[in-house]
């Protein structure tokens, strides 16, 4: 997952993305294996290849390519005050995978990539519930930093499932 995140954050959005994935396969495999015990190499390589193949065959890499002119930020660092009574010594830190302006609505969108091997249905819904607070926190931080008065749209990009899920507004 980390290797694929690194790939997505460093792709040149001005060039064809699928070709760049091919160019970087060997480099990503070497980088991946560097951080693992030898007994973990085969499984990690297999997982990486599945994710890269899915990216190239699916629609999400093309979606990123289409959004390229509308990308506001990738790997945006956020530092936020904690919620609750932690006092002045606490903080929350994170990195937002993708912020873009929706070309149809002009709406600012916060997206987070997920590499979980997940299918549709209840399993996907459970992951959306799990990750929604994280991406909502990112959106809150950006909204507050920019002084915006409305909630930003948030999306979870499930790379292995080749699905984008708009995170519903919490009730």
């Amino acid at each position: 997952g980390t290797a694929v995140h690194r790939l997505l954050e460093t792709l040149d959005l001005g060039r064809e993305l699928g070709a760049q994935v091919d160019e970087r396969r060997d480099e990503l495999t070497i980088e991946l294996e560097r951080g693992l015990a030898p007994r973990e190499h085969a499984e990690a390589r297999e997982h990486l290849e599945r994710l890269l193949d899915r990216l190239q065959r699916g629609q999400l890499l093309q979606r990123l390519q289409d959004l390229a002119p509308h990308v506001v930020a990738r790997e945006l660092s956020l530092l936020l005050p904690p919620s609750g009574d932690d006092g002045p010594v606490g903080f929350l830190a994170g990195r937002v995978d993708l912020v873009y302006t929706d070309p149809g609505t002009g709406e600012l969108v916060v997206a987070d990539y997920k590499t979980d091997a997940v299918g549709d249905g209840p399993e996907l819904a459970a992951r959306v519930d799990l990750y929604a607070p994280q991406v909502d926190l990112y959106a809150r931080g950006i909204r507050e930093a920019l002084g915006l008065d409305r909630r930003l749209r948030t999306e979870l990009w499930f790379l292995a499932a080749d699905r984008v899920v708009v995170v519903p507004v919490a009730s």
Side-chain angles (χ1 to χ4, degrees):
T2 302
V4 173
H5 268 83
R6 194 165 16 267
L7 169 69
L8 291 170
E9 74 190 47
T10 59
L11 288 171
D12 179 349
L13 298 181
R15 292 181 45 222
E16 204 278 313
L17 301 184
Q20 291 179 70
V21 171
D22 281 334
E23 292 166 7
R24 305 262 313 270
R25 276 181 190 267
D26 292 340
E27 168 193 332
L28 289 169
T29 301
I30 292 166
E31 184 179 321
L32 175 78
E33 290 178 351
R34 213 177 289 139
L36 298 173
R39 69 181 179 283
E40 299 171 307
H41 288 184
E43 183 179 343
R45 272 193 313 267
E46 185 178 307
H47 183 64
L48 176 64
E49 283 300 319
R50 273 196 311 270
L51 277 172
L52 294 178
D53 288 345
R54 185 63 169 159
L55 266 176
Q56 287 190 298
R57 287 183 292 110
Q59 57 189 331
L60 294 186
L61 198 62
Q62 184 59 53
R63 181 175 177 152
L64 181 59
Q65 184 90 65
D66 294 343
L67 288 171
H70 308 283
V71 170
V72 174
R74 294 189 296 166
E75 288 304 303
L76 177 66
S77 296
L78 283 181
L79 189 62
L80 304 165
S83 54
D85 297 323
D86 293 333
V89 295
F91 67 89
L92 299 169
R95 294 176 70 89
V96 181
D97 291 331
L98 179 65
V99 181
Y100 69 92
T101 304
D102 184 302
T105 65
E107 178 182 27
L108 204 57
V109 181
V110 176
D112 197 49
Y113 306 134
K114 297 300 177 191
T115 58
D116 308 44
V118 62
D120 283 333
E123 188 180 18
L124 182 66
R127 294 297 169 98
V128 170
D129 290 344
L130 176 69
Y131 293 127
Q134 174 191 7
V135 74
D136 282 340
L137 184 63
Y138 292 164
R140 185 194 82 186
I142 293 170
R143 182 179 52 82
E144 290 174 2
L146 296 176
L148 303 174
D149 59 354
R150 21 179 296 195
R151 181 188 182 274
L152 304 181
R153 188 172 88 209
T154 55
E155 298 176 343
L156 295 168
W157 289 33
F158 288 94
L159 305 177
D162 195 40
R163 290 275 315 273
V164 173
V165 177
V166 176
V167 178
V169 177
S171 45

